[in-house]
Amino acid sequence: MKISFCEHNEGIEEVVEAIRNEYPECTVTLNKCIGACDKCGTTLIARINGKLVEAEVCEDLLDIIGEYMELEEI
């Protein structure tokens, strides 16, 4: 699974570190932009295999990513 984050998205560092620790099999990248500039300043965002996902807090984004990981195992 490929997960991309915008390097300008405030607060995303905690999510990136948790993903790298919990799911080392994932490819995690920090990019200059992931094409969601209108949301980047107000919410935590990521692209999971090309699909944009967002959450208000780190724990919620980690839960969403965990759900994607479970689906990929099926």
Side-chain angles (χ1 to χ4, degrees):
M1 178 177 301
K2 182 178 178 183
I3 305 173
S4 302
F5 298 95
C6 176
E7 64 186 26
H8 301 290
N9 193 197
E10 282 190 41
I12 208 69
E13 298 84 10
E14 181 181 335
V15 176
V16 171
E17 184 177 331
I19 295 303
R20 287 182 172 156
N21 289 331
E22 291 182 45
Y23 306 109
E25 67 276 16
C26 288
T27 302
V28 177
T29 59
L30 282 170
N31 303 317
K32 290 185 187 236
C33 181
I34 61 172
C37 297
D38 59 323
K39 298 178 183 194
C40 197
T42 59
T43 187
L44 298 170
I45 56 171
R47 282 208 182 272
I48 302 173
N49 292 336
K51 183 176 180 193
L52 185 68
V53 296
E54 57 186 272
E56 294 297 319
V57 295
C58 294
E59 293 80 15
D60 291 346
L61 187 55
L62 289 170
D63 288 345
I64 292 168
I65 293 168
E67 290 172 11
Y68 273 85
M69 292 301 295
E70 288 176 15
L71 289 173
E72 192 161 282
E73 290 176 6
I74 295 176

